[in-house]
Amino acid sequence: MFYSTKIEIETDEREVRDITDSIKSAVSESGVEEGFCLVFSPHTTAGLTINEEERGLKEDLLEKFERLVPAMNEYRHNRGAEDNAHSHIKDVLAGPDHTIPVEGGELALGTWQSVLFIETDGPRRRTVKLSLLGE
Amino acid sequence: MFYSTKIEIETDEREVRDITDSIKSAVSESGVEEGFCLVFSPHTTAGLTINEEERGLKEDLLEKFERLVPAMNEYRHNRGAEDNAHSHIKDVLAGPDHTIPVEGGELALGTWQSVLFIETDGPRRRTVKLSLLGE
Amino acid sequence: MFYSTKIEIETDEREVRDITDSIKSAVSESGVEEGFCLVFSPHTTAGLTINEEERGLKEDLLEKFERLVPAMNEYRHNRGAEDNAHSHIKDVLAGPDHTIPVEGGELALGTWQSVLFIETDGPRRRTVKLSLLGE
């Protein structure tokens, strides 16, 4: 059994957005009882992670990413019209794809886990692809 | 065909633990001959990676993570009762989910690859979820 | 339906190589219309990411990885005959496995996304495993 859908979001300049509820709804609609839920960012300057939804932590994460990959460094990618090399590299560190087990018709996240969309090159309209495969 | 199980481990304060043998056993029990093995950490302060099981390298990895995301930095998440913001961010860098091909009834890891559980907020009782999907 | 194949590449010392076309060919050959495409590096010193194929950006990415995990630092792993601890850790940051949705018989990458093989310990002969699961 395969099911796919999309989440559309409008982001701020930089933010970490909890998209867990939309994913849970998609799992319910899919009818998949046991299988995998693939969450995929089709963008190159916005990624995904799975961690705790807590306001301070989300700011810590953006600040650490900025410390590791500063927007204002010299980048070859920025020699033309672009200025978002840092966002591309932050996306590589978070990763664009994460797969979560589905058990008993539900997303099998741990107690403190949420699926978090990481925008570092907004504001933009973004899409997250959800694909469910299983029984 | 879908099969799921769990690995339970008791961790030290900080460690990189090879859990490959338990995963290979689960693949054998599952009866899946061709498909995917999803290894999932349902925690937000402990992640997973796939790399070489070598004592020096495992210490290098923990040391590098500590250099990039020091435990003692200022974090907003730590203003309350928490002191583990660094562990959350290290988990983001390693990632909580990894998927490995299953071929001929076996986990298709490369010669030097092991599945490594990364604890930076222990000692704790931890669970790793294994989900197999295939034929 | 399950299908697997391999891509063989010969790498330079350090490079980011676009392997998207080979993956698209494999998806076509597989006959999978809807499902998941797992791209897996069976190596411990070369990883994968999904981002933009742009020459400057690929150099920025290698340079940033080198800044975060310098080859010439002291590493325990390098006390014997090895000198590639940095490559192992860079592989952890990029990740060895990425899963991409397959929709309508095609790899459902975003407009600017390519699948990029990251070599930091070459020149070597490398293999990338592709596994397709779906309908």
Side-chain angles (χ1 to χ4, degrees), chain A residues 17-86:
Chain A
R17 174 87 62 98
D18 186 353
I19 58 169
T20 311
D21 286 348
S22 302
I23 301 173
K24 286 182 175 173
S25 298
V27 173
S28 293
E29 284 169 35
S30 74
V32 171
E33 286 291 314
E34 312 291 334
F36 292 179
C37 177
L38 170 60
V39 187
F40 188 83
S41 165
H43 306 289
T44 57
T45 58
L48 291 157
T49 193
I50 299 169
N51 213 282
E52 186 180 344
E53 159 65 22
E54 192 277 315
R55 191 200 300 197
L57 183 63
K58 294 192 295 179
E59 292 179 24
D60 290 332
L61 182 60
L62 288 174
E63 191 171 298
K64 176 53 69 180
F65 270 33
E66 179 61 22
R67 187 80 62 92
L68 295 176
V69 191
M72 301 309 290
N73 273 186
E74 286 287 313
Y75 298 102
R76 289 174 187 80
H77 184 63
N78 294 352
R79 287 182 186 163
E82 301 286 355
D83 64 355
N84 60 3
H86 72 102

Side-chain angles (χ1 to χ4, degrees), chain A residues 1 41 68 76-77 88 97, chain C residues 51 54 59-60 98-99:
Chain A
M1 185 186 292
S41 165
L68 295 176
R76 289 174 187 80
H77 184 63
H88 288 279
D97 62 296
Chain C
N51 212 280
E54 193 276 316
E59 292 179 25
D60 291 333
H98 290 283
T99 305

Side-chain angles (χ1 to χ4, degrees), chain B residues 9-37:
Chain B
I9 53 182
E10 302 213 9
T11 60
D12 296 331
E13 186 183 353
R14 295 187 189 190
E15 70 165 314
V16 176
R17 173 88 61 98
D18 186 353
I19 58 169
T20 312
D21 286 348
S22 301
I23 301 173
K24 287 182 174 173
S25 298
V27 173
S28 294
E29 284 169 34
S30 75
V32 171
E33 285 291 314
E34 313 290 334
F36 292 178
C37 177

Side-chain angles (χ1 to χ4, degrees), chain B residues 59-87:
Chain B
E59 291 179 24
D60 291 332
L61 182 60
L62 288 174
E63 191 171 298
K64 174 54 69 180
F65 270 33
E66 178 61 22
R67 187 79 63 91
L68 296 176
V69 191
M72 302 309 290
N73 273 187
E74 286 287 314
Y75 298 102
R76 288 174 188 81
H77 184 63
N78 294 353
R79 288 182 187 164
E82 301 286 354
D83 64 355
N84 61 2
H86 72 103
S87 301

Side-chain angles (χ1 to χ4, degrees), chain A residues 1-2 4 36-38 40-45 67-70 73-78 82 85 87-89 91-93 95-97 99 129-133, chain C residues 34-36 49-52 54-57 59-61 63-65 67-68 93-94 97-103 108-114 118 133-135:
Chain A
M1 185 186 292
F2 181 80
S4 70
F36 292 179
C37 177
L38 170 60
F40 188 83
S41 165
H43 306 289
T44 57
T45 58
R67 187 80 62 92
L68 295 176
V69 191
N73 273 186
E74 286 287 313
Y75 298 102
R76 289 174 187 80
H77 184 63
N78 294 352
E82 301 286 355
S87 300
H88 288 279
I89 298 172
D91 178 30
V92 170
L93 293 181
D97 62 296
T99 305
K129 288 176 183 276
L130 304 181
S131 308
L132 284 122
L133 187 65
Chain C
E34 313 290 334
F36 291 179
T49 194
I50 300 170
N51 212 280
E52 186 180 344
E54 193 276 316
R55 191 200 299 196
L57 182 64
E59 292 179 25
D60 291 333
L61 182 60
E63 192 171 297
K64 175 53 69 180
F65 270 33
R67 187 79 63 90
L68 296 176
L93 293 181
D97 62 296
H98 290 283
T99 305
I100 303 161
V102 176
E103 299 174 358
L109 290 171
T111 311
W112 298 102
Q113 286 183 316
S114 290
I118 304 175
L133 188 64
E135 299 173 356

